[in-house]
Amino acid sequence: MAERVESSVTEGENTIEEREVGAMWELEKKLDQPMDEEANKVNNMYREKYSIWTILRLSFQSLGIVYGDLGTSPLYVFYNTFPDGIDDKEDVIGALSLIIYSLLLIPLIKYVFIVCKANDNGQGGTLAIYSLLCRHAKVKLIPNQRRSDEELTTYSRTLSTEGSFAAKTKKWLEGKEWRKRALLVIVLLGTCMMIGDGILTPAISVLSATGGIKVNRPKMSGDVVVLVSIVILIGLFSMQHYGTDKVGWLFAPIVLIWFLFIGATGVYNICKHDTSVLKAFSPTYIYLYFKRRGRDGWISLGGILLSITGTEALYADIAYFPLLAIQLAFTFFVFPCLLLAYCGQAAYLVNNTDHYKDAFYASIPDSVYWPMFVFATGAAIVGSQATISGTYSIVKQAVAHGCFPRVKIVHTSKKFIGQIYCPDINWILMLGCIAVTASFKNQSQIGNAYGTAVVLVMLVTTILMVLIMLLVWHCHWILVLIFTVLSLFVELSYFSAVIFKIDEGGWVPLIIAAISLLVMSVWHYATVKKYEFEMHSKVSMSWILGLGPSLGLVRVPGIGLVYTELASGVPHIFSHFITNLPAIHSVVVFVCVKYLPVYTVTEEERFLVKRIGPKTFRIFRCVARYGYKDLHKKDDDFENKLLNSLSSFIRLETMMEPASNSSTYSSTYSVNHTLESREDLNHNNNNHHHNSYNNNNNIDMFSSMVDDTVSTLDTIVPAGSPHNALSFSQANTIEEEEVEVDELEVLKNCKESGVVHIMGNTVVKARNGSWLPKKIAIDYVYAFLAKVCRENSVILHVPHETLLNVGQVFYV
């Protein structure tokens, strides 16, 4: 009987404990709900329609931004195709046939009419494709997205039918973590090659253009050409901080005249030297070319490849113009001019095979030689400028995806949001260009390096396009197979050719890519681990609402903005802070600044605000959302915009809801969960040790903030008044009618008292016993990058005198 009673008592205690845990969980959900309801639900995007005259004008302007790099290829293609001379005139016809069909298949059909359609609201490039894939499948390694983010105006996506091939592909991709990592590595590889492109394009374009000096002055030393090229490169990179806004209007006329020049010169050479080169439009001569030259013909594909360099830059720069304008410009102007230019050079070479090194300048009539030289140099600078600007944009996207250290980004134009400047990246590119130009001193080796970078970017784009066609476009698998087979057949042929030239300059982009990939991989790995640390070490809302008498917590006049990576829960840095200094501000806002896989977030949809817990506690959460193209400009006034959003939320809440709704939580929580909250804190601390996340107890604060805080600790009055402070336990006992004060007035007074930005100063270290490569990556590579990169406070333009750092260490 006694055993039965004891068993009954035990069961009763278990039932009570389960009820308390259940009630605790229900309360937690009420206090810190997802922010879906606060999201703006604007689903219909406004798509601007252009008149035919506007399209034609934009097609003209696109020449200067999109086609500068592709247009300078005739300067160096034939030299890199025949670096050792031309043995047979028919080889020129075969090489021309390869150039013609390369331009037809890759830039025209694949990129202009297929790949360019795979844009993220007009944004191109490998990272833009990755963002598009992240919206259609859960492949992002940092899971910080919420359902509310899907309601953004720019968050466009298509849903796949259950059981379809697209749905099966999506499920397969999401099934294993290694597949997500493999996808990211592929994307980063393409990004690294594009960064290498930013070094090699200016080097080969400027060096090839200035090589015209030596053609007209044969006795001139090659070192003089190299020196002139370096001077031009230094001038080009030194002018980057001014932006292209003031001189951008010159780009299109320069490239237009350049294309007209090379097209007209091509017609002149065809008519003067040999019209029979037009037979190269027959693909038969491709077969005869390989049959005649064998292995040497196959290796020469590395030179043919240079005829389509700039195509990857074309895709990266499509954001500036409508797709139709780009398609019209290439199909009806750029493509014909390039064909005429190559046919003209081939016609000249058939009768002058000994001029293979300087075919372009040697084929120019003497009367227009110097004007052509001037416009060749101008076109090379314009093409280089487009590639450099594209590199800045790529780095900006990589930073937003958490794949690159935070670097300084300057907005150079008030009219165009896409025009940016990265000082750190600019000087790295300049040093790389000078090193490549001075080391190789000739077009051949730089061309080999350039070709390797270009073909690897194309292969990455093909792989990503397969996923786009399946997950986004929902194409039939047969169409996907045809596209994949044809693309890989052409691009792998080029890739097999550049492999033979690895030791002749092809190693350069591989070294650049390896260094860039190491930096990006290490940074992204540490970023993911920091997010996981915050997720595991966050404390529940029940704990923070139960504080007060246990730690002697008081409310200090002012507003505290606590920055965190989390969109829910209380960050560990906050609990760490108040454990060491048991006081918080009268108004506390947990601020989460996060980047989404969209190109931009409109100002109207930027901030999401949510109240946490009862009104008496005046604790809020604010999520600031950005796209990968959005910038934190100095004149944005992030702090005021955030506080204005908070005021708007309070005003709207006052109109829409009774003031007493959230007050009921306060008394319920105060009575039932004060003790449990203390146990919850201990439980969380135990979990932190179990997960091997170790934190130090140093808090770095500026002396002015410490003095302000200490001077107010002696006075304990209500949170509702900035001139009085009150502990949490006292606030919970206030009657509803006393709580209903003008919160907007309170917020205004608190703002006048001062706004403090509380940020985590996290140090990442490798755990004891980690394998050596991991220790090197974390303790040396990441530590160095974290030391030289810009702090979050600088990126957000937080005033130095209002910053408060909370130090912590965790081991991975």
Side-chain angles (χ1 to χ4, degrees), residues 283-305:
T284 306
Y285 290 91
I286 296 177
Y287 168 74
L288 295 175
Y289 177 79
F290 288 124
K291 182 180 179 181
R292 188 166 48 251
R293 297 199 67 191
R295 183 176 181 272
D296 291 338
W298 192 263
I299 294 176
S300 70
L301 283 176
I304 303 293
L305 172 64

Side-chain angles (χ1 to χ4, degrees), residues 223-508:
D223 293 336
V224 176
V225 176
V226 173
L227 183 60
V228 171
S229 300
I230 291 175
V231 170
I232 292 176
L233 288 171
I234 293 175
L236 175 63
F237 283 101
S238 298
M239 298 296 288
Q240 290 299 311
H241 67 281
Y242 292 111
T244 59
D245 191 19
K246 295 180 178 62
V247 296
W249 61 276
L250 281 173
F251 288 178
I254 289 173
V255 177
L256 173 69
I257 296 173
W258 166 251
F259 274 115
L260 290 175
F261 263 145
I262 63 175
T265 304
V267 173
Y268 169 81
N269 286 322
I270 293 171
C271 296
K272 180 180 179 180
H273 296 287
D274 193 350
T275 57
S276 66
V277 295
L278 297 178
K279 63 185 180 182
F281 281 89
S282 170
T284 306
Y285 290 91
I286 296 177
Y287 168 74
L288 295 175
Y289 177 79
F290 288 124
K291 182 180 179 181
R292 188 166 48 251
R293 297 199 67 191
R295 183 176 181 272
D296 291 338
W298 192 263
I299 294 176
S300 70
L301 283 176
I304 303 293
L305 172 64
L306 298 180
S307 65
I308 56 176
T309 54
T311 306
E312 72 290 346
L314 178 155
Y315 178 49
D317 292 332
I318 62 173
Y320 298 100
F321 304 97
L323 180 58
L324 180 58
I326 292 175
Q327 291 173 335
L328 288 175
F330 187 83
T331 306
F332 296 105
F333 185 71
V334 175
F335 185 60
C337 288
L338 287 173
L339 291 182
L340 290 172
Y342 286 117
C343 288
Q345 286 189 53
Y348 178 82
L349 283 173
V350 167
N351 295 329
N352 302 274
T353 55
D354 55 329
H355 287 172
Y356 66 94
K357 285 187 176 182
D358 50 16
F360 177 81
Y361 280 110
S363 64
I364 298 173
D366 293 338
S367 58
V368 294
Y369 182 85
W370 286 111
M372 280 288 283
F373 172 78
V374 172
F375 279 98
T377 306
I381 291 174
V382 171
S384 301
Q385 175 62 55
T387 306
I388 295 167
S389 299
T391 305
Y392 297 154
S393 180
I394 288 170
V395 170
K396 170 69 180 69
Q397 294 180 32
V399 171
H401 281 85
C403 298
F404 201 87
R406 296 178 296 272
V407 293
K408 183 179 182 179
I409 297 175
V410 180
H411 196 235
T412 59
S413 172
K414 294 181 179 180
K415 297 179 182 178
F416 306 104
I417 190 172
Q419 293 188 8
I420 58 176
Y421 165 64
C422 302
D424 306 325
I425 302 301
N426 181 70
W427 303 125
I428 292 174
L429 293 179
M430 187 189 76
L431 292 176
C433 281
I434 293 174
V436 169
T437 305
S439 300
F440 291 143
K441 299 182 180 181
N442 66 78
Q443 303 171 23
S444 180
Q445 288 185 317
I446 300 178
N448 295 337
Y450 193 19
T452 304
V454 169
V455 73
L456 285 174
V457 173
M458 290 181 177
L459 285 170
V460 168
T461 302
T462 298
I463 295 172
L464 296 178
M465 277 301 300
V466 172
L467 295 176
I468 289 291
M469 296 176 77
L470 290 173
L471 297 178
V472 182
W473 293 350
H474 301 160
C475 295
H476 195 279
W477 66 270
I478 294 180
L479 293 176
V480 179
L481 183 63
I482 293 172
F483 171 83
T484 307
V485 170
L486 291 178
S487 297
L488 291 180
F489 173 75
V490 176
E491 290 161 6
L492 287 176
S493 298
Y494 285 128
F495 181 68
S496 64
V498 300
I499 286 178
F500 290 103
K501 297 187 177 183
I502 293 295
D503 60 338
E504 299 176 13
W507 55 270
V508 174

Side-chain angles (χ1 to χ4, degrees), residues 537-653:
S537 61
K538 69 178 182 179
V539 295
S540 67
M541 288 308 308
S542 307
W543 170 74
I544 192 170
L545 293 178
L547 289 175
S550 58
L551 290 177
L553 201 64
V554 295
R555 302 306 287 266
V556 179
I559 300 175
L561 303 181
V562 184
Y563 289 82
T564 174
E565 299 288 337
L566 305 177
S568 63
V570 180
H572 179 263
I573 62 164
F574 185 68
S575 62
H576 184 52
F577 167 65
I578 61 178
T579 301
N580 290 271
L581 184 61
I584 61 172
H585 297 83
S586 300
V587 176
V588 176
V589 184
F590 295 118
V591 181
C592 173
V593 179
K594 69 175 180 178
Y595 289 89
L596 300 174
V598 295
Y599 76 100
T600 188
V601 177
T602 61
E603 287 293 337
E604 294 77 14
E605 300 173 299
R606 175 83 67 215
F607 296 100
L608 291 182
V609 181
K610 180 80 176 180
R611 183 186 295 278
I612 299 178
K615 285 189 175 182
T616 53
F617 293 95
R618 296 199 174 87
I619 302 178
F620 302 88
R621 183 183 311 285
C622 179
V623 179
R625 304 177 294 181
Y626 291 85
Y628 53 79
K629 293 285 285 185
D630 291 329
L631 293 172
H632 298 281
K633 293 183 288 186
K634 194 169 185 178
D635 56 354
D636 269 352
D637 204 356
F638 176 81
E639 179 184 301
N640 276 335
K641 287 184 178 180
L642 188 152
L643 295 179
N644 288 339
S645 298
L646 182 58
S647 300
S648 300
F649 169 79
I650 294 173
R651 191 179 296 110
L652 183 63
E653 185 188 48

Side-chain angles (χ1 to χ4, degrees), residues 8 184 191 672 711 718:
S8 177
L184 181 63
T191 304
N672 295 329
S711 65

Side-chain angles (χ1 to χ4, degrees), residues 40-260:
N40 293 318
K41 299 181 179 180
V42 185
N43 296 317
N44 297 322
M45 291 187 61
Y46 174 74
R47 297 186 180 276
E48 188 173 357
K49 295 182 179 180
Y50 301 95
S51 66
I52 183 64
W53 296 112
T54 303
I55 288 293
L56 291 175
R57 178 173 58 83
L58 293 173
S59 296
F60 162 69
Q61 292 177 355
S62 70
L63 296 175
I65 302 297
V66 178
Y67 297 112
D69 188 9
L70 189 63
T72 55
S73 297
L75 289 169
Y76 44 77
V77 169
F78 276 108
Y79 172 48
N80 284 275
T81 304
F82 302 105
D84 301 320
I86 301 172
D87 298 327
D88 191 332
K89 294 181 179 180
E90 289 298 312
D91 291 346
V92 178
I93 306 298
L96 176 61
S97 187
L98 280 168
I99 292 172
I100 290 171
Y101 284 96
S102 295
L103 286 170
L104 177 68
L105 293 174
I106 302 299
L108 182 62
I109 296 178
K110 179 186 175 183
Y111 272 85
V112 172
F113 285 100
I114 298 178
V115 174
C116 284
K117 291 184 178 180
N119 59 79
D120 183 14
N121 290 283
Q123 306 297 316
T126 53
L127 284 169
I129 292 182
Y130 182 66
S131 296
L132 200 57
L133 291 173
C134 287
R135 298 207 300 269
H136 289 79
K138 296 177 181 178
V139 295
K140 194 174 181 182
L141 294 178
I142 303 178
N144 63 348
Q145 279 183 238
R146 296 293 181 268
R147 191 177 65 185
S148 57
D149 300 329
E150 300 174 8
E151 305 295 340
L152 287 169
T153 306
T154 52
Y155 199 99
S156 57
R157 63 172 181 167
T158 56
L159 300 177
S160 54
T161 308
E162 187 68 28
S164 63
F165 196 75
K168 293 178 181 177
T169 305
K170 178 176 179 289
K171 184 178 180 181
W172 177 84
L173 196 59
E174 297 173 346
K176 300 290 184 180
E177 197 71 16
W178 69 266
R179 293 168 189 161
K180 300 178 185 179
R181 292 196 182 98
L183 175 62
L184 181 63
V185 169
I186 292 173
V187 171
L188 293 183
L189 178 62
T191 304
C192 294
M193 286 299 172
M194 283 298 295
I195 294 174
D197 200 6
I199 294 176
L200 297 171
T201 297
I204 191 171
S205 298
V206 173
L207 184 62
S208 300
T210 54
I213 302 176
K214 191 177 179 182
V215 174
N216 196 261
R217 300 285 188 273
K219 295 182 180 180
M220 183 178 292
S221 171
D223 293 336
V224 176
V225 176
V226 173
L227 183 60
V228 171
S229 300
I230 291 175
V231 170
I232 292 176
L233 288 171
I234 293 175
L236 175 63
F237 283 101
S238 298
M239 298 296 288
Q240 290 299 311
H241 67 281
Y242 292 111
T244 59
D245 191 19
K246 295 180 178 62
V247 296
W249 61 276
L250 281 173
F251 288 178
I254 289 173
V255 177
L256 173 69
I257 296 173
W258 166 251
F259 274 115
L260 290 175

